[in-house]
Amino acid sequence: MLSTVNLTQRYGKRVLFDKINLTLDVGKRYGLIGANGAGKSTLMKILAGEIEPTDGEIQLQPGLKLGMLGQNQYAFEDFTLKDAVLYGNKKLFDAQKEKEKLYMEGDFESDEVNNRLAELEMICADEDPTYESEVKIEKLLETLGFPASQHNDLMSSLTGGDKFKILLAQVLFLKPDVLLLDEPTNNLDIETIGWLENELKRHEGTMIVISHDRHFLNGVVTHILDLDFQTIREFTGNYDEWYIAANLIAKQAETDRSKALKEKEELEKFIARFSANASKAKQATSRQKQLDKLDVQAIKLSSRRDPSIMFKPHRDIGNEVLEVIDLSKSYDGETVFENLSFKVNKDDKIALIGSNGVGKSTLLEILMGKVEADSGKFNWGQTVTTSYFPQNTTDIVTGDIELPQWIQGFDPKWHIDDIRKTLGRMLFSGEEQKKKVDACSGGEKHRVMLSKMMMDAANFLVLDEPDNHLDLEAIVALGEALHNYGGGAICVTHDRELIDAFANRIIKLNEDGTVIDFEGDYEAFVEQYGH
């Protein structure tokens, strides 16, 4: 269906990938993984025909439709929501718009006009044989949270996150034979991610997806394409199965093959550690059977490195942590939340969840003194020291200074050697630490902020979508760090695997203003309440 022949991409002396030969089959859903900077998005753009490779070629079976999720959220500002989705099938869009114009302005006594209308009608019939395109678009929009009253609004009226949803609807509306998705879960809440998973599982063609959401990859993909060492290795199975196998290879490389029994014990420990909660532990036996079937020799040791995140509180937290009493907040007459009350206990690690727009970030900003509530109050305990990861971290981590100096700016007493060690834990080598903060990518800025938070040594962490821009390895490390952390935490995230890793309490803000406050882990929450 789609194949690459000796595909090579170089930028100067830097080789992203070299002589890749792949055949991507119908009915398979591929997860494309690799370290940040390995060339995943570049490969996607080459497959979509958006950029030319240095060498090699892409072969797409004639007659097939290829669709790629757009990344420019501002490309359709003057389109209505319905038209922006319809544009996903540009052939149908152009035919419908020309037909509408001719019906409005055309001379119906002209043979030329009538012949053209007949041609356009044929195109519309070919592209939309059941004449249900409008109904399908309306259904897509409503499922993504846009009521019928909004369908004829202009794209310029939407927030960035909602514009991205329209781009997602656009590529899904096309129903392409080959579907390419680069980070489709960005800006989506948990409910919408769950809906998207179900949509993609029904995709009948070929699909390639890049995502840093491990739960999403596990739910959607049937195969893994691992971009590493300037080549791609294909693996049958989801991300967890690849991850276990890759770690098995690493352990086999570290120990002598004659110590087979010790290797088996280490593998069992690894599986037990990987299955962090009781429900996942039940899967350990089946995972062992899966391992027996894996062709682990086909998996080369990864060049990727895992960051070492470790939050160590400088002092124990007391019994009085945080009390929120009747907090209310509105913007421009629109209520965000009203009379919100809850108490945080000493050992609580809270996942704060809910649809986009229900006030999760606003609540954290109030608690951190960045925004004032309209009414109500909150009290932090006297022993509590906080460290904050704001949602707009990429805008805050700025400056024409090197990374260690940026972090030291928060506390001149912090020793520069300790800062350098902390940055090293976050995979900034000696040379990379000389980089100017302004030159960092989004993922690097997030790692810098996490380095700063490790230096804070606070006993309560407040995190607003810290996993955005992080790669899979860093998100796994963050989950383990929060799990092992001796303090308290409240974290906004849509990453279900991250929630699974650390949360022992779930607070969900609902769109109708109600609150679900659940003591327990996320899997137990889902069993009781659904997503």
Side-chain angles (χ1 to χ4, degrees):
M1 174 168 278
L2 177 68
S3 58
T4 68
V5 181
N6 292 328
L7 198 66
T8 300
Q9 187 66 22
R10 288 187 293 269
Y11 291 105
K13 291 182 179 179
R14 187 179 172 220
V15 179
L16 281 183
F17 38 85
D18 186 43
K19 292 188 171 64
I20 289 177
N21 292 286
L22 274 178
T23 298
L24 304 175
D25 299 323
V26 181
K28 292 181 180 178
R29 302 187 297 272
Y30 300 90
L32 178 58
I33 65 171
N36 284 344
K40 301 185 297 294
S41 294
T42 301
L43 177 59
M44 282 285 226
K45 288 174 182 174
I46 291 172
L47 293 176
E50 292 184 6
I51 59 177
E52 286 290 321
T54 306
D55 201 5
E57 62 177 329
I58 305 296
Q59 296 178 346
L60 178 65
Q61 192 176 319
L64 296 186
K65 290 180 186 173
L66 183 145
M68 181 168 177
L69 175 63
Q71 298 295 318
N72 182 0
Q73 299 170 5
Y74 302 96
F76 301 94
E77 293 292 88
D78 296 329
F79 284 59
T80 65
L81 272 56
K82 283 171 72 172
D83 279 352
V85 177
L86 178 63
Y87 193 85
N89 186 334
K90 191 167 184 306
K91 200 171 179 182
L92 179 61
F93 175 88
D94 289 343
Q96 282 195 11
K97 293 304 167 186
E98 187 180 347
K99 193 169 71 167
E100 287 170 12
K101 188 177 181 183
L102 285 175
Y103 275 122
M104 290 281 290
E105 304 170 0
D107 176 4
F108 294 109
E109 293 183 3
S110 162
D111 287 343
E112 187 180 346
V113 169
N114 287 317
N115 288 339
R116 182 56 182 159
L117 280 169
E119 289 171 5
L120 294 170
E121 197 63 51
M122 288 292 291
I123 294 170
C124 290
D126 285 342
E127 296 298 317
D128 181 25
T130 58
Y131 292 91
E132 292 180 332
S133 61
E134 188 168 5
V135 173
K136 288 175 182 173
I137 289 170
E138 289 170 353
K139 188 177 177 183
L140 261 176
L141 288 171
E142 285 170 13
T143 305
L144 287 168
F146 301 100
S149 59
Q150 210 176 343
H151 293 181
N152 288 310
D153 291 354
L154 292 180
M155 286 283 286
S156 56
S157 68
L158 300 182
T159 63
D162 280 346
K163 290 182 205 289
F164 185 81
K165 285 185 179 180
I166 300 296
L167 296 183
L168 190 57
Q170 189 183 76
V171 73
L172 292 176
F173 170 70
L174 177 63
K175 288 193 176 296
D177 303 291
V178 178
L179 178 59
L180 307 177
L181 301 169
D182 190 350
E183 294 292 352
T185 61
N186 278 1
N187 303 301
L188 300 185
D189 53 44
I190 289 174
E191 288 87 350
T192 310
I193 293 171
W195 167 82
L196 178 61
E197 278 183 19
N198 291 327
E199 286 290 304
L200 297 181
K201 283 182 204 173
R202 292 201 293 266
H203 182 71
E204 295 176 354
T206 304
M207 186 182 85
I208 307 174
V209 60
I210 299 170
S211 178
H212 292 155
D213 185 328
R214 199 165 86 227
H215 191 287
F216 175 76
L217 282 179
N218 283 333
V220 168
V221 307
T222 59
H223 293 70
I224 293 291
L225 300 174
D226 183 14
L227 180 52
D228 204 359
F229 296 102
Q230 302 171 354
T231 190
I232 284 183
R233 288 176 178 270
E234 183 179 338
F235 173 80
T236 300
N238 64 19
Y239 180 80
D240 278 358
E241 291 160 349
W242 169 87
Y243 186 68
I244 292 172
N247 276 272
L248 174 59
I249 282 294
K251 292 197 178 299
Q252 286 178 331
E254 289 163 10
T255 58
D256 190 270
R257 289 185 178 276
S258 65
K259 299 175 183 175
L261 183 60
K262 186 179 177 183
E263 282 187 358
K264 182 173 179 291
E265 288 172 0
E266 287 180 352
L267 176 58
E268 286 169 350
K269 285 178 187 174
F270 170 76
I271 293 172
R273 187 169 73 253
F274 187 78
S275 307
N277 55 46
S279 61
K280 285 195 173 181
K282 296 171 191 173
Q283 301 172 21
T285 305
S286 63
R287 290 196 184 282
Q288 182 67 59
K289 289 176 183 174
Q290 289 167 352
L291 278 171
D292 293 339
K293 299 176 189 174
L294 296 178
D295 181 14
V296 292
Q297 299 300 331
I299 302 174
K300 196 173 180 181
L301 272 173
S302 176
S303 64
R304 294 191 284 280
R305 297 173 295 155
D306 295 345
S308 176
I309 304 175
M310 192 177 296
F311 301 113
K312 286 186 176 178
H314 72 296
R315 63 178 290 185
D316 289 339
I317 200 165
N319 291 322
E320 299 295 321
V321 180
L322 171 67
E323 188 171 13
V324 174
I325 305 165
D326 293 331
L327 274 190
S328 298
K329 182 64 182 176
S330 299
Y331 285 112
D332 301 325
E334 292 284 328
T335 300
V336 182
F337 47 76
E338 196 168 22
N339 299 325
L340 180 62
S341 299
F342 61 91
K343 187 174 183 179
V344 177
N345 304 310
K346 182 177 180 179
D347 297 320
D348 282 347
K349 293 178 182 176
I350 299 167
L352 181 62
I353 66 172
S355 301
N356 290 336
V358 295
K360 303 184 297 296
S361 294
T362 300
L363 173 59
L364 296 194
E365 287 172 337
I366 291 171
L367 296 179
M368 295 311 296
K370 307 296 181 185
V371 171
E372 280 197 25
D374 297 336
S375 60
K377 62 181 181 177
F378 63 93
N379 301 307
W380 287 102
Q382 288 189 342
T383 64
V384 176
T385 55
T386 60
S387 185
Y388 180 40
F389 189 108
Q391 190 179 52
N392 63 334
T393 282
T394 49
D395 298 327
I396 290 172
V397 182
T398 57
D400 188 31
I401 54 175
E402 294 178 4
L403 308 189
Q405 283 69 40
W406 185 86
I407 292 176
Q408 197 173 42
F410 288 89
D411 190 340
K413 294 176 186 174
W414 287 343
H415 197 284
I416 199 73
D417 286 347
D418 292 331
I419 294 173
R420 290 191 186 282
K421 286 175 187 174
T422 304
L423 284 166
R425 283 180 169 275
M426 294 308 297
L427 307 183
F428 291 104
S429 66
E431 279 301 309
E432 287 171 326
Q433 292 185 18
K434 295 177 182 177
K435 180 185 274 194
K436 296 292 177 70
V437 177
D438 282 341
C440 288
S441 67
E444 288 171 331
K445 287 184 175 185
H446 275 217
R447 287 192 279 128
V448 169
M449 181 60 85
L450 289 171
S451 301
K452 181 261 178 189
M453 291 181 75
M454 283 192 270
M455 291 298 301
D456 281 334
N459 57 21
F460 196 93
L461 305 179
V462 180
L463 304 113
D464 195 352
E465 301 202 33
D467 48 288
N468 282 356
H469 300 290
L470 295 182
D471 59 23
L472 281 156
E473 288 76 25
I475 295 171
V476 171
L478 176 60
E480 289 180 0
L482 291 174
H483 176 75
N484 295 326
Y485 176 53
I490 182 165
C491 177
V492 173
T493 179
H494 300 304
D495 189 305
R496 291 153 293 178
E497 291 285 345
L498 180 57
I499 295 172
D500 268 342
F502 80 90
N504 58 21
R505 181 175 172 187
I506 311 294
I507 295 179
K508 182 180 182 185
L509 306 184
N510 293 317
E511 291 182 23
D512 62 4
T514 59
V515 177
I516 299 172
D517 191 344
F518 181 80
E519 299 276 351
D521 63 25
Y522 184 64
E523 293 211 5
F525 173 85
V526 170
E527 279 182 25
Q528 185 160 336
Y529 295 102
H531 285 297

